[in-house]
Amino acid sequence: MPAFDLVLRGGTCVLPWGEEATDVGVRAGRIAALGDLRTAEAAETIDCTGLHILPGLIDAHVHLRDPGDPAVETLESGTRAALLGGLTAVFDMPNTAPSITDRERLDWKRGYLEGRAWVDVGLYVGASKKNIAELASLELQPNVCAVKVFAGSSTGDLLVEDDASLEAVMRSGRRRICYHSEDEYRLQERKPLFTSGMPHRNHMVWRDVDCALIGTQRLMTLARKTGRPAHILHVSTAEELELLRDYRDVSTVEVLLNHLTQTDEAYDRLGGYAVMNPPIRDERHLRAAWAAIADGTVDVVGSDHAPHSRAAKERPWPDGAAGLTGVQTIVPLMLDHVSAGRLSLSRLADLMCAGPARVYGANGKGRLAAGYDADFTVVDMKRQRTIEEGWIVSPCGWTPFAGHRCTGWPVMAILRGAVAMREDEVIGTPRGTGVRFAEARG
Ligand code: DOR
């Protein structure tokens, strides 16, 4: 019997401290060896000469809309998009229709993903004012990555906006809680200042810097008071990043690809297809986000993949839906940022693999090392390719990044030792399963 099921030969591995030319041996779905395996026997060998091998990249922030509207997205289509885009795991948000807020729906979702998911899936549980008493038990269920709190309203009906309820949520359990942080009171107070049909750029005027900052300040005060770890999702302002540098004891930080890539010119170019919560803002915030990537303030980069129908995106502002697709394009676009010299491949692996594994406590994911899941994102940093709308497999069928030329492209994704995507083709059947988390059962 050969020593390995699979050997990736001749590639450059992306390790936490830098890049190293080394082979990778896989046995029983796990990494078994890193080193010179030129003479090792393997059932299958893949020549990775000229390619970089990253640990399987994770998008820790996606909305796959299942249950919901299959004409927009399903778990099957969203995970297929993830795989074609070079990811090996996604963490799926709970603001579906209906939302995932109780044991019954969570159990249903866990069963539903088997045989349908093309990549591994972590499941968020939504907090509502009605399920606070159950959150402590819900967060410990198998494959749950975290409780998600919408402290400001967005798509769906999940909302926990007042300090008393937020404190009760924080006192309900012990795992890190993920927050959509925009101050609901300020959002509602400012809404009457705007009327239907105004230019889309008013989105960032309505949901302004203070909405985000006040929301995050309130959450940080409560997190420190209760001692409950927090993860602030999609931090979008220079001011919050500055604040969060002083709260490393209780909080970790996510920044979105969109906030690292787009500025307010997008409103004039894309109209409703630039509208998301929290909003895309001006250049100053984009620069602050990159500075926070460089100095280590940011733990995770995600896409906040949030598909909506074209009809919903094309309604006049602010009556349209907020949210942008991104699960299929995040890896190419981050590789393009690497090519432009904005971060290293090691830092990318940290932000999209080790970071999510650390923040959410994912077992077996996070780095290229013996014993870890044999999940790999294999990329060609010389490949140049333009993102085309026709490539998008989410049924809603659009991307705000159509026409963006990328240098660097994911050419293969390997899921627990088996090639699952190669050169734009998904291979085999949906083999994704629930991600295991250290503090959850199962
Ligand atoms: O723009 C957004 N869209 N932000 C969110 O927080 C939710 C998301 C969605 O589900 O559409």
Side-chain angles (χ1 to χ4, degrees), residues 274-423:
V275 171
M276 60 178 292
N277 302 327
I280 288 164
R281 305 187 193 275
D282 64 41
E283 177 88 27
R284 180 172 74 83
H285 300 287
L286 178 137
R287 277 205 300 271
W290 279 111
I293 295 271
D295 74 11
T297 303
V298 180
D299 298 276
V300 174
V301 167
S303 75
D304 194 359
H305 175 70
H308 293 280
S309 69
R310 286 185 191 270
K313 293 302 280 177
E314 287 170 14
R315 285 197 290 264
W317 186 84
D319 314 325
L324 306 176
T325 61
V327 73
Q328 198 173 336
T329 48
I330 185 170
V331 176
L333 287 161
M334 285 306 289
L335 294 176
D336 193 47
H337 285 308
V338 170
S339 299
R342 297 187 186 103
L343 78 169
S344 67
L345 280 175
S346 289
R347 183 68 172 126
L348 175 59
D350 183 39
L351 293 163
M352 292 191 65
C353 193
R358 190 172 67 236
V359 166
Y360 296 83
N363 286 344
K365 311 278 188 206
R367 59 165 68 183
L368 297 182
Y372 281 74
D373 286 357
D375 296 341
F376 308 104
T377 300
V378 182
V379 307
D380 181 350
M381 292 307 291
K382 291 182 293 303
R383 181 87 53 101
Q384 293 200 322
R385 181 166 165 180
T386 301
I387 293 172
E388 286 164 11
E389 212 142 62
W391 178 60
I392 299 297
V393 297
S394 296
C396 68
W398 55 269
T399 165
F401 297 108
H404 190 113
R405 189 154 182 81
C406 296
T407 301
W409 198 268
V411 293
M412 197 175 359
I414 295 172
L415 182 62
R416 284 173 282 105
V419 178
M421 182 279 285
R422 196 165 189 176
E423 295 289 356

Side-chain angles (χ1 to χ4, degrees), residues 45 150 248 393:
T45 300
F150 282 88
R248 297 295 290 169
V393 297

Side-chain angles (χ1 to χ4, degrees), residues 90-395:
V90 295
F91 297 173
D92 188 29
M93 286 293 175
N95 59 332
T96 43
S99 35
I100 306 297
T101 46
D102 62 28
R103 185 68 194 270
E104 196 184 331
R105 290 180 195 155
L106 183 61
D107 288 348
W108 169 82
K109 187 116 184 202
R110 189 182 312 107
Y112 178 81
L113 71 87
E114 297 296 332
R116 289 187 174 84
W118 287 95
V119 297
D120 286 350
V121 180
L123 299 172
Y124 286 93
V125 172
S128 78
K129 284 181 214 163
K130 295 198 197 99
N131 73 354
I132 297 177
E134 288 132 60
L135 290 175
S137 126
L138 286 171
E139 72 171 4
L140 299 180
Q141 297 308 307
N143 315 127
V144 169
C145 60
V147 167
K148 163 77 180 277
V149 176
F150 282 88
S153 51
S154 194
T155 304
D157 55 9
L158 292 175
L159 182 64
V160 182
E161 76 278 36
D162 61 288
D163 281 7
S165 303
L166 286 167
E167 185 169 338
V169 169
M170 289 185 198
R171 294 198 187 279
S172 71
R174 61 193 165 81
R175 292 182 70 188
R176 192 174 292 279
I177 298 176
C178 294
Y179 296 97
H180 179 115
S181 171
E182 287 183 285
D183 185 80
E184 181 65 12
Y185 301 103
R186 186 170 170 90
L187 285 188
Q188 296 307 340
E189 187 186 293
R190 291 170 59 73
K191 210 168 180 183
L193 302 176
F194 305 92
T195 51
S196 185
M198 287 172 92
H200 290 92
R201 63 169 47 246
N202 282 292
H203 200 61
M204 68 173 188
V205 184
W206 168 34
R207 303 178 86 113
D208 67 355
V209 169
D210 280 344
C211 271
L213 180 61
I214 293 167
T216 300
Q217 278 166 335
R218 283 179 49 214
L219 289 169
M220 287 300 98
T221 304
L222 289 169
R224 225 175 235 167
K225 179 176 172 194
T226 58
R228 184 74 187 265
H231 182 54
I232 304 296
L233 297 163
H234 42 45
V235 176
S236 62
T237 66
E239 285 78 355
E240 286 169 284
L241 289 164
E242 195 50 45
L243 174 81
L244 287 162
R245 288 193 178 96
D246 291 331
Y247 282 90
R248 297 295 290 169
D249 54 325
V250 282
S251 191
T252 49
V253 172
E254 178 196 68
V255 163
L256 299 183
L257 175 275
N258 305 57
H259 292 126
L260 291 165
T261 312
Q262 295 170 307
T263 59
D264 53 337
E265 64 77 34
Y267 293 109
D268 310 324
R269 193 164 44 86
L270 299 170
Y273 293 99
V275 171
M276 60 178 292
N277 302 327
I280 288 164
R281 305 187 193 275
D282 64 41
E283 177 88 27
R284 180 172 74 83
H285 300 287
L286 178 137
R287 277 205 300 271
W290 279 111
I293 295 271
D295 74 11
T297 303
V298 180
D299 298 276
V300 174
V301 167
S303 75
D304 194 359
H305 175 70
H308 293 280
S309 69
R310 286 185 191 270
K313 293 302 280 177
E314 287 170 14
R315 285 197 290 264
W317 186 84
D319 314 325
L324 306 176
T325 61
V327 73
Q328 198 173 336
T329 48
I330 185 170
V331 176
L333 287 161
M334 285 306 289
L335 294 176
D336 193 47
H337 285 308
V338 170
S339 299
R342 297 187 186 103
L343 78 169
S344 67
L345 280 175
S346 289
R347 183 68 172 126
L348 175 59
D350 183 39
L351 293 163
M352 292 191 65
C353 193
R358 190 172 67 236
V359 166
Y360 296 83
N363 286 344
K365 311 278 188 206
R367 59 165 68 183
L368 297 182
Y372 281 74
D373 286 357
D375 296 341
F376 308 104
T377 300
V378 182
V379 307
D380 181 350
M381 292 307 291
K382 291 182 293 303
R383 181 87 53 101
Q384 293 200 322
R385 181 166 165 180
T386 301
I387 293 172
E388 286 164 11
E389 212 142 62
W391 178 60
I392 299 297
V393 297
S394 296

